[in-house]
Amino acid sequence: LSSPQDWHQLVFVRNGVINHTSWDQYPVTSNVVAKIMEDYASDMPRSSMELSVLDGNGHIKPHCGPVNFRLRLHLGLSVPEGAGIRIGTEQAGWETGKVLLIDDSFEHEVWNNASVPRALLVVDVWHPALDESDKEQIRRQFGWSPNSKIVTGYPGSH
């Protein structure tokens, strides 16, 4: 999707599985991630939470996310002027300290025309158009039981 040196990810959760190394190294961020997961995505298959850094002059080629039952929250942590995203035919940008909500099942690409990195916290949440019956069907399709919560037993979980 991009040149390997352009795009860096610090993964806290990938496809519903906790990355213990990141979780242990960054406990404050992990607690924030755990709270978000607990409230919005603990029972969602294929959920991911990660820090995403795109180097200056970096580009992520057009691609589509694997599922349409999630939306992705992009929290701008450090966003230089010249960083942007195209989703379908629309272009958008991020602002430091603000959230951009995207449906990554649509084709999208990302660029950073600045000379400094762009950093986001990316968090998957259930698509709000789904009701509990839809969610249950998706969980069954992915082999998740009602008690399969990925934050159980980790810092910040209840």
Side-chain angles (χ1 to χ4, degrees):
L1 296 175
S2 71
S3 174
Q5 67 271 14
D6 287 353
W7 187 22
H8 314 278
Q9 296 170 309
L10 176 61
V11 175
F12 288 89
V13 178
R14 170 77 38 89
N15 293 324
V17 178
I18 300 253
N19 177 337
H20 293 281
T21 302
S22 298
W23 204 267
D24 294 341
Q25 285 182 323
Y26 302 95
V28 173
T29 304
S30 296
N31 285 332
V32 170
V33 168
K35 180 63 176 152
I36 294 167
M37 290 166 52
E38 185 176 307
D39 290 348
Y40 301 104
S42 65
D43 60 349
M44 183 176 63
R46 297 189 58 102
S47 60
S48 293
M49 285 75 174
E50 61 205 26
L51 292 175
S52 172
V53 176
L54 184 62
D55 288 342
N57 301 307
H59 179 248
I60 302 172
K61 296 177 184 175
H63 62 287
C64 297
V67 295
N68 66 357
F69 58 75
R70 71 174 187 204
L71 294 180
R72 295 202 122 177
L73 300 172
H74 286 189
L75 172 62
L77 301 176
S78 178
V79 182
E81 196 168 315
I85 185 169
R86 177 190 57 79
I87 306 162
T89 59
E90 296 185 29
Q91 290 189 12
W94 303 273
E95 292 182 50
T96 299
K98 297 200 175 178
V99 171
L100 177 66
L101 184 65
I102 71 164
D103 183 341
D104 79 331
S105 68
F106 291 95
E107 182 184 85
H108 58 285
E109 71 177 309
V110 177
W111 60 88
N112 181 7
N113 295 329
S115 60
V116 296
R118 179 238 53 195
L120 308 172
L121 178 63
V122 178
V123 179
D124 293 344
V125 297
W126 281 110
H127 196 292
L130 300 173
D131 63 21
E132 193 53 43
S133 173
D134 296 327
K135 293 176 185 179
E136 182 57 34
Q137 184 176 5
I138 291 165
R139 286 190 290 264
R140 272 196 313 269
Q141 183 178 6
F142 281 86
W144 280 59
S145 73
N147 297 322
S148 296
K149 296 197 176 218
I150 56 179
V151 296
T152 301
Y154 293 94
S157 67
H158 293 56

